Amino acid sequence: MRVDVVTVFPDYLAPLRLSLIGRAVERGTIDLAVHDLRTHTTDVHRTVDDSPFGGGAGMLMTPPPWGAALDAVRAQGQQSLGADAEPHLLVMSPAGHRFDQATAARLAAEPWLVLACGRYEGIDERVLDDAARRHRVTPLSIGDYVLAGGEAAALVVVEAVGRLLPGVLGNAASVVEESHSDGLLEAPSYTRPATWRDLDVPAVLTGGDHGKVARWRRDESLRRTAERRPDLLAGAPADRFDRRDLEL
Ligand SMILES: COc1cccc(COC(=O)c2cn[nH]c2)c1
């Protein structure tokens, strides 16, 4: 997978060169390129923002540097992926579609993502409209809060998507048995020592009955989800989860 990130703070994306994702980049599983938006300005002050038409607080990112940057990113990407290749542009924004594990799984199947990191109050809408003439554009939110810029959101998206790519997680690790993989939160988990500060591991987990372990984990998963994230249960079709255990 090729991943391009456009930002006024390239150094903010340095963590993508570390650890799990960093190794995937070194191995070439992820072909990562971080681009400095200011490289695509033409004025002496390297201006990327201006006041919003219609008034309003703060500044907005002006289209010309974004247009030039996205054109350059497409040209570079097509050099390595082929002249017909087109990216999927993800614009990190509080006004975006909700990013979740299902979205991460869908994006992990795509060959080329370009992430746009907005700053200030955001990016002039015509940048998205112009890009949409050539390829898919998806405004994407990692949650219902406002950050100072899209860079932290880009780190989240690249990590959540990158870890799903083949070979990125060690063989032992599994993306199947984890929170949100089955629409629920994962059950509590334990490892050695069996007793720690007079706290014991639930006996079912050390009893050796795998059927009972599976049942216990499912029950705990449903209980934890009902307690912490009832929204995940509310939207589910009636038969999706075994609600009898939770008196829901
Ligand atoms: C592009 O327009 C804007 C405007 C304001 C802030 C940002 C940065 O992104 C976020 O704040 C965000 C992303 N997911 N959840 C929050 C982008």
Side-chain angles (χ1 to χ4, degrees), residues 161-240:
V161 172
R163 68 186 288 278
L164 297 178
L165 297 176
V168 175
L169 286 181
N171 300 334
S174 158
V175 296
V176 177
E177 303 268 319
E178 60 182 11
S179 280
H180 302 291
S181 58
D182 60 357
L184 298 173
L185 304 186
E186 65 183 327
S189 45
Y190 305 82
T191 186
R192 283 187 290 265
T195 297
W196 175 70
R197 294 186 180 182
D198 82 11
L199 296 169
D200 294 332
V201 170
V204 66
L205 298 180
T206 55
D209 182 330
H210 299 298
K212 283 186 179 172
V213 169
R215 180 78 200 168
W216 181 86
R217 284 178 170 156
R218 177 71 176 180
D219 291 350
E220 286 302 306
S221 179
L222 283 163
R223 190 180 315 284
R224 178 180 270 192
T225 306
E227 177 195 335
R228 298 180 184 176
R229 291 294 306 277
D231 59 296
L232 293 178
L233 294 175
D239 62 345
R240 176 73 176 79

Side-chain angles (χ1 to χ4, degrees), residues 3 5 11-26 30 32 34 115 151 154-159:
V3 176
V5 185
D11 293 348
Y12 206 112
L13 283 298
L16 294 179
R17 307 280 180 187
L18 301 174
S19 185
L20 194 86
I21 300 301
R23 279 196 299 280
V25 173
E26 281 164 17
I30 298 172
L32 177 68
V34 179
L115 285 81
E151 288 77 11
L155 289 174
V156 165
V157 171
V158 173
E159 181 164 326

Side-chain angles (χ1 to χ4, degrees), residues 37 42 45 58 67 70 90 93 105 109 113 120 141 150 168 170 188 199-200 217 231 235 246:
L37 181 69
T42 52
H45 300 295
L70 294 175
L90 307 176
S93 168
L113 301 178
Y120 307 96
S141 168
V168 175
L199 296 169
D200 294 332
R217 284 178 170 156
D231 59 296
L246 294 166

Side-chain angles (χ1 to χ4, degrees), residues 92-94 118 120-123 140-143 145-147 149-150 153:
M92 303 301 108
S93 168
Y120 307 96
E121 300 309 311
I123 303 171
L140 207 54
S141 168
I142 62 166
Y145 38 77
V146 182
L147 302 168

Side-chain angles (χ1 to χ4, degrees), residues 114-125:
V114 175
L115 285 81
C117 301
R119 284 257 147 188
Y120 307 96
E121 300 309 311
I123 303 171
D124 185 304
E125 195 66 19

